[in-house]
Amino acid sequence: MSQDNLIDVNAAIAGLKAAKFILNKWQCSTTQVEQLLDLKIADIDVKPAPELTKGQLLRISYILNIHATLRSYFSNNDNIYGYMTLINNNAPFNGVRPIDTALKKGGLKCVMEHVTSMEQR
């Protein structure tokens, strides 16, 4: 197996913990957290180091990227953590909350791409 295929378990677990913290700050329900991470909360809470799939790691990276971009774009916590739950009339949200878009199939990536593009404007 090449080094490129190895996933640092400690980094993955740290990313998962950070993503859970962020989702909590976004005021996500348990069901929303499970859907966004594609992971049962029981698996996280029971196992100290659950095995994560590449898809789960990708979802974690989207959440971390959204958060990092919001932190660099906004200066106060209300905007950083509230962005995902506020109705947004701009495309691609068109009057819905970014979190609602994120919960749809392919939506988390869509939100991440939109948020990271805001920083470039």
Side-chain angles (χ1 to χ4, degrees), residues 19-39:
K20 278 183 56 183
F21 176 82
I22 292 164
L23 293 172
N24 182 54
K25 293 293 246 177
W26 289 352
Q27 300 178 358
C28 291
S29 68
T30 299
T31 302
Q32 290 172 324
V33 170
E34 289 180 342
Q35 188 174 347
L36 289 167
L37 293 174
D38 190 27
L39 186 64

Side-chain angles (χ1 to χ4, degrees), residues 61-101:
S61 75
Y62 291 158
I63 293 163
L64 298 178
N65 281 313
I66 291 168
H67 177 67
T69 303
L70 291 174
R71 284 189 60 82
S72 68
Y73 194 75
F74 296 117
S75 60
N76 73 49
N77 284 340
D78 290 342
N79 290 337
I80 293 166
Y81 294 110
Y83 178 87
M84 293 296 287
T85 58
L86 295 173
I87 291 177
N88 189 321
N89 290 314
N90 298 311
F93 309 117
N94 303 317
V96 300
R97 303 175 314 159
I99 194 66
D100 296 325
T101 299

